[in-house]
Amino acid sequence: MLDALTERLSGTFRRLGSSGRIGEKELDEALREVRIALLEADVNFKVVRDFVARVRERALGQEVLSSITPGQQVIGIVQDVLVETLGKEHAPLERAKGGPTKIMVVGSKGSGKTTLAGRLALKFKSEGFRPLLVSTDFERVAASEQLQILAQSIDVPVYVEEVEAPAADVARRALAHAATINANAIIVDTVGAVMLDDEIADALAALADVVDPTELLIVVDAMTGQEAVTLAKEFHDVLEGSGIVVTKVDSDTRGGAVLSVREVTGLPVKFITTGERLEALEEFHPDRFASRVLGMGDVVTLVEKAKQAIGERDAKEVARRMRTGQFDLEDFLGQMEQLKKMGPLSGIFDMLPGAGAIKAQLGGGFDMNEKFINQSEAIIRSMTVEERRHPDVINGSRRRRIARGSGTHPSDVNRLLNQFAEARKLMKAMAGGGGKNAGGIRRMLGL
Ligand code: GDP
Ligand code: MG
């Protein structure tokens, strides 16, 4: 995610962090690099200008240049300003005080509205709500079928009409239907706009009047960058949105949309989505996102994801086994299966502190992929129970047998065993208190 930006910024930071003295000239040089990095990431030029000016002003004002660790201080200021640019505080999704919570999703064609509607329904369902999905999009062929299939896959009711009618009328009937089935979270999907012409603007405004949404979410497609941000502003001017969702913040997006949209629209980003799977919906936390952009990792989100995938109880049991040195290759296998549930590994890797620097070191070809996990799984599955519990017994002939059984090479088996030994060492260190983040990670995992 936002790899190029992160790489550039962490490069600048490394140089800043290691320089003993920073004068105004060095500061401006570093800020020039920051500026270029942001512009290359397609951040809105006004946002970039303000950003750099704010960092500069603060750096000069706080007299960091004469401090003992000026580089670190400047980095800290950049981080603070980035968090402010992203909106400072996490803005949670509003829930209606009385009556059902109603969410209306608007945005350009293909930006991910329908998928988002499904994601929100799934989220509400998992929180114990009774959601209803509503389609008001007649323009695209099969738009309502798409929503129906989505709804079916998550076992949520859906309201669609076969005969084309004005969106506002459909919504009126959908709300009545919602009352009869006692739905308390209603998510209204809408037709996409390439441009917000009068016809679409009027139809959406009429729809919003009927729905009277608790949240009117404007979807911004990160892949289309600044264009999407400009359109979001137009949507907001006409419909008065309550929040933004930036979609497709996957590994190959440059990031400009996420970084600009708050400043340009004044609306908080409530979620980002990072993949096609319905589960790839993340609450947006400006501070955590800033850390990720700056290559400082996002351990909090990582641990939350791990807890979701593993389940709190299992996490505690695994942690106990790690601590007591009982963790064996069978546990390792279980962990790899859990890891796969957490989604694409490259995304997870980005949340680790220092990921940017590691990637830079390994070069552009770095890829933690499913293939690697599948191979490791095959190797462990070819072992006997005794070998999984006590890898020390694995000698040359056993290694050859395991390689044959898993369709790999003995050197692959060796590599896996070495990695396991390394992982075990790391666990011991974490359980024993080493490492800068270990204490925090332990607390979050409830150890
Ligand atoms: P709509 O026209 O706004 O309703 O957009 P859709 O929900 O139909 O999505 C359009 C396409 O974008 C679909 O192929 C989705 O799978 C894809 N999509 C949606 N969100 C994401 C995302 O976060 N990442 C990626 N890579 N694709 C997404
Ligand atoms: Mg759609």
Side-chain angles (χ1 to χ4, degrees), residues 108-116 119 140 146 189-190 223 247-250 273-276 280:
S108 65
K109 267 194 218 315
S111 58
K113 294 181 299 299
T114 304
T115 314
L116 175 66
R119 290 174 157 140
R140 213 163 93 185
Q146 185 195 356
D189 189 21
T190 63
M223 305 270 256
T247 57
K248 309 187 195 176
V249 191
D250 311 357
T273 74
T274 55
E276 299 203 43

Side-chain angles (χ1 to χ4, degrees), residues 72 296 299 353-354 429-430 433-443:
Q72 291 304 328
M296 295 167 180
V299 174
M430 272 181 57
K436 204 172 81 194
N437 288 321
I441 294 173
R442 272 204 310 279
R443 263 195 308 284

